[in-house]
Amino acid sequence: MSVNYLNDVRAEDRTLRELFAIDPSRAQRYVAQLADLRIDWSRQPVTDEVLGSLRSAARTAGVCQRFQALAGGQALNVTEGRAALHMALRAERDATFEVDGRNVMAEVHAELTRMGEFAETVRANPEFTDIVNIGIGGSDLGPAMAAEALVGDALPRLRAHFVSNIDASDITSVLDKVQPKSTLFVIVSKTFGTLETLTNAQLARQWVIDALGESAVKDHFVAVSTAAERVEEFGISTDTTFGFWDWVGGRYSLWSAVGLSVMLLVGPERFAELLAGGRDVDAHMMETLVDDDRLDDNVAVTLALIGLLHRSVLNRPSKAVIPYVHELRRFPAYLQQLDMESNGKSVTSAGMPVTGPTGPVIWGEAGTNSQHAFFQLLHQGTDVIPVDLIGVARPRHNLVTQHDALFANLVAQAQALAFGRASHEEPHRNFDGNRPSTLILAEQLDARILGQLIALYEHIVFIQGVMWGINSFDQWGVELGKELASALTPALSDAGNDIDGDADSATVATVQWYRAHKAR
Ligand code: F6P
């Protein structure tokens, strides 16, 4: 049986309205500046006492020691026998990050230099107008999110497209918009064995060959992978293959060559700023998690513990993330993989059943759109759903009045959620309030601040995984579905192929329905 480190944590009985009445200074005290991020947890149901007990649980769980083990390249991903050293990807060249006693920094920077040289060549070649990134999961969500977030920094000539789905409508809709001679395909797959990516890559390859001939493949395809041999078999030369390492998890890989499409779009300098942003947050982690004494100052720990309070003490199963920055509209989707693939686990690292709930459902949508879709439930639904609200003081555009209105909405939602408004005569107009939110604000959204934001969430997810005793770096839960789908595919494509005799009756019936209706 694993230990539940949060057993002794008692939730706060008083409402947020009461807590602010007793101590208005919480608006200053429960705010921290982490690099360029202003993080405000004053509207969370915590007091010094609650935070004290959460932090002592973190000490008992050995958060500092586990962080040191992570940074030290220990194989924390026990089921795959791998380190999770994504911090090395954004570290300075003269830093030390070791895997199996070997400093990896020279390799990391050698690959960054190769990427940079390649990116400059493509950016200087006016024949290329479109980049098509083909990848899925971590090989798609990070780059797609970052390309959207940094679109204001993109070379005006270049457009980026992201193809991930096995649904051919995804790739065909992109191919309809681009021309073979002006398109560069970036095939991103850590394993180079992912069905969706290989299927789409083959289709794109044939599309290029049909238009330009076989010899054009070398000029229009590059790959990003840890599996160089498979890439070569596919027909992409090692000269245009960018590598990374098995100690980089897919959902932690944006900082590596997996970010190549982003680098092509915004250039190596901006990409370096993204890495610098990640490094800013890592520096805070290193400084404050050297030992237990400074743990109270660690902002990622505080936010992780507040998340644990909701999930493990108050049993709140979901969390919404709402960016009031249009360019961050893919951020919730990105976070879904980061958080749910990392912490959606029910066995501990030691292989024992967990003793309580683990990762919450993460969901969200940009800015005021979400208010007109699901905030009704956030304000008056029967579940309390903690919310992260992300905003900036200065948008990329200069329509200040409109931005004032946007920011007013962010603050108003935090206010309404926390403090509500009583209506005794008309119950349907009653807002109980006492609904928690964390505000993450920055002066603007740029590459460095985006890097800080991503790294902050990465560390929160890690700390929560430590407190739950789970391995945040594997993803076995996605395997069964893949296996069953590939076993079923022959029966769907050809009625002559019988479905596995052991298949359940529901599966058989669905396959039969498909077969009966698929013919046009
Ligand atoms: O199926 C889940 C997953 O393994 C993710 O963890 C990963 O990011 C994604 O598939 C893509 O994998 P690959 O980069 O190897 O194609």
Side-chain angles (χ1 to χ4, degrees), residues 136-139 189-191 194 197 250-251 337 341 475 478 482:
I136 195 164
S139 299
S189 176
K190 180 176 171 182
T191 54
T194 303
T197 302
R251 53 196 176 274
Q337 188 200 15
E341 204 172 73
Q475 56 284 319
V478 298
K482 287 185 197 171

Side-chain angles (χ1 to χ4, degrees), residues 23 55-56 62 79 105 119 180 238 322 326 350 373 379 418 457 485 492-493 495 508:
D23 176 16
R55 285 171 178 148
S56 87
T79 61
M105 291 315 304
T238 41
I322 316 292
H326 195 64
H379 287 292
Y457 277 98
L492 294 178
S493 27
V508 172

